[in-house]
Amino acid sequence: MEITRRDIANYKLLGILLEKDKKKLERYIEKRPSYYSGKVYGSNPQFPYEARGFTITGCTEYEQQQMKKWEEDCRIIEEQIQSDIRYLNELELAIDNVIANCKDIEDKAILEYTKDGLCQQEIAEIMCMERSTVSKRLSKYVSR
């Protein structure tokens, strides 16, 4: 997997967005449409007549279609989240391999800071170097 500057810079953001997607899916599942249910009252057919309550459930054909559509939409979201998780795991492994194979300690720090979501100017201030130096050092390990 070829790593770009954008991949490293967006790594932290991808994790945050993935958590938001998981919460959205949980919310969709919690607000899932349900079938109607209610109580019906009657009595037994033999004497002495006693009051009885019955719980009934059901839905119309339209509601069944809505339920199927809802479940399909949730399945699509869930598949996308699983795909994003796989991509994020592959990206993390690739980024960590680049960092682990880096021999220069300053370059390693620059890559770690970039992975943590800092911009080049912030990294330059922390490392006491020019922003252009940070950019050049990143260019040794990642493509544009």
Side-chain angles (χ1 to χ4, degrees), residues 17-89:
L17 293 175
L18 188 58
E19 287 303 314
K20 288 183 182 265
D21 285 345
K22 286 179 184 177
K23 287 179 183 175
K24 281 181 202 173
L25 180 60
E26 288 173 10
R27 223 178 24 246
Y28 284 134
I29 290 171
E30 286 173 7
K31 293 182 179 181
R32 179 180 178 200
S34 62
Y35 300 105
Y36 285 120
S37 71
K39 286 257 187 204
V40 175
Y41 296 96
S43 64
N44 62 344
Q46 290 90 20
F47 186 79
Y49 302 113
E50 295 174 337
R52 297 263 173 115
F54 304 94
T55 302
I56 60 166
T57 60
C59 62
T60 65
E61 190 174 317
Y62 173 76
E63 290 167 333
Q64 287 176 345
Q65 290 172 350
Q66 290 296 99
M67 183 68 97
K68 286 180 184 176
K69 183 182 180 321
W70 184 271
E71 288 172 358
E72 179 66 21
D73 290 346
C74 285
R75 188 183 62 74
I76 290 169
I77 292 171
E78 196 168 21
E79 287 174 0
Q80 184 60 47
I81 289 172
Q82 292 302 320
S83 173
D84 289 348
I85 288 171
R86 281 190 298 277
Y87 173 73
L88 191 61
N89 288 338

Side-chain angles (χ1 to χ4, degrees), residues 72-123:
E72 179 66 21
D73 290 346
C74 285
R75 188 183 62 74
I76 290 169
I77 292 171
E78 196 168 21
E79 287 174 0
Q80 184 60 47
I81 289 172
Q82 292 302 320
S83 173
D84 289 348
I85 288 171
R86 281 190 298 277
Y87 173 73
L88 191 61
N89 288 338
E90 290 172 9
L91 182 62
E92 181 178 28
L93 182 62
I95 291 170
D96 287 341
N97 279 334
V98 168
I99 293 171
N101 292 327
C102 180
K103 302 299 180 207
D104 187 316
I105 192 76
E106 286 182 339
D107 291 352
K108 192 175 275 204
I110 289 170
L111 289 166
E112 283 287 351
Y113 284 136
T114 304
K115 181 182 172 185
D116 290 341
L118 297 178
C119 69
Q120 291 180 7
Q121 186 61 44
E122 293 169 325
I123 296 169

